[in-house]
Amino acid sequence: MRQLTLDLQPAAPPSLENYVTGSNGEALTALAAWLAADNRETLFFLCGERGAGKSHLLQACADAYGDARLDPGLARLPATADLWAVDHLEMLDEGGQIVLFNLINRLRTGSGRLLLAACLPPRLLELREDLRTRLASGLVYRLRCLSDAEKRAAFAAQARTLGLDLSPTLIDYLFARAPRDMRSLTQLLRAIDQFSLEQQRPITLPLLRAVLQTAPPT
């Protein structure tokens, strides 16, 4: 049997529309207001645990995106943009903290805005004190991970969008065996759809077993 490759089933590009809000309605409303052209607030800070969707929102909104997990010194962060985003601030090295501090100072006296994300709120990050102070001066919102019930509802809604009818029993089977972050679940759903079409088989437990057995770990 041909091995399925989930990374060949890319999810749609991140956007505010395909972010699954869950209990984060207040943060999403505030972010949308901050993105309005007439908003003059320079900084917007998102904190929350892994899987809450911080990176999704940063990538959806920014002209220039920097990830301190991959580039701790922010050496690849573009010099000019209308809206910067810097992700995983807890991973910044000394040089990266200086780059971010200088960028914030430039924005305070010029134009442009900065969207930021970290696992913890600014005051709890192990960063330079002057940088923490700058970060805390903007809007700060916490994102919460989806509950299992919210993930199931979002998964079922995505399935319906693809024209798939997944019974609660089939969803229970997948949630007991597959990664539960929404990115992986979305990729898995696309793989199930493709496999079902290629094999011309209805979506049943045996088909789901075949997909999970042939799909590489995520």
Side-chain angles (χ1 to χ4, degrees):
M1 184 180 296
R2 180 182 60 81
Q3 177 164 317
L4 293 176
T5 53
L6 294 189
D7 57 351
L8 296 181
Q9 311 300 315
S15 69
L16 294 182
E17 288 71 29
N18 62 23
Y19 177 78
V20 183
T21 304
S23 59
N24 296 312
E26 181 182 355
L28 264 290
T29 298
L31 177 59
W34 180 75
L35 291 169
D38 59 351
N39 193 297
R40 294 293 177 262
E41 187 73 44
T42 301
L43 305 180
F44 195 103
F45 191 106
L46 293 169
C47 61
E49 62 187 286
R50 179 181 173 86
K54 302 184 299 297
S55 298
H56 179 110
L57 293 175
L58 265 62
Q59 292 170 23
C61 297
D63 302 315
Y65 173 78
D67 187 346
R69 185 173 53 183
L70 304 175
D71 180 21
L74 298 183
R76 297 191 293 274
L77 188 69
T80 58
D82 292 322
L83 199 162
W84 282 268
V86 180
D87 207 351
H88 301 107
L89 296 188
E90 63 274 11
M91 303 301 293
L92 287 171
D93 63 19
E94 236 177 271
Q97 293 181 53
I98 293 172
V99 169
L100 185 58
F101 182 81
N102 291 338
L103 174 59
I104 293 172
N105 285 342
R106 287 205 329 265
L107 294 177
R108 294 175 80 177
T109 58
S111 61
R113 284 180 282 181
L114 179 58
L115 181 58
L116 304 136
C119 59
L120 297 170
R123 61 186 178 83
L124 298 179
L125 291 172
E126 294 184 5
L127 300 173
R128 292 169 31 167
E129 177 61 30
D130 54 359
L131 178 56
R132 285 204 306 269
T133 300
R134 293 285 194 279
L135 295 173
S137 68
L139 301 171
V140 180
Y141 282 85
R142 179 187 173 193
L143 293 181
R144 293 171 172 80
C145 289
L146 297 177
S147 67
D148 276 354
E150 289 167 338
K151 289 178 183 178
R152 287 170 185 267
F155 187 76
Q158 289 180 352
R160 288 193 295 272
T161 298
L162 292 173
L164 306 178
D165 183 19
L166 294 182
S167 69
T169 299
L170 296 179
I171 293 176
D172 287 345
Y173 180 84
L174 289 172
F175 268 68
R177 292 161 178 82
R180 293 193 184 185
D181 64 281
M182 286 307 303
R183 183 185 297 271
S184 296
L185 288 169
T186 298
Q187 290 176 322
L188 178 59
L189 189 59
R190 289 170 178 268
I192 291 167
D193 185 31
Q194 177 183 316
F195 191 72
S196 174
L197 289 172
E198 289 180 353
Q199 299 293 315
Q200 296 185 343
R201 293 167 55 188
I203 299 177
T204 60
L205 281 175
L207 183 134
L208 296 186
R209 291 191 191 99
V211 171
L212 293 175
Q213 287 169 2
T214 57
T218 58

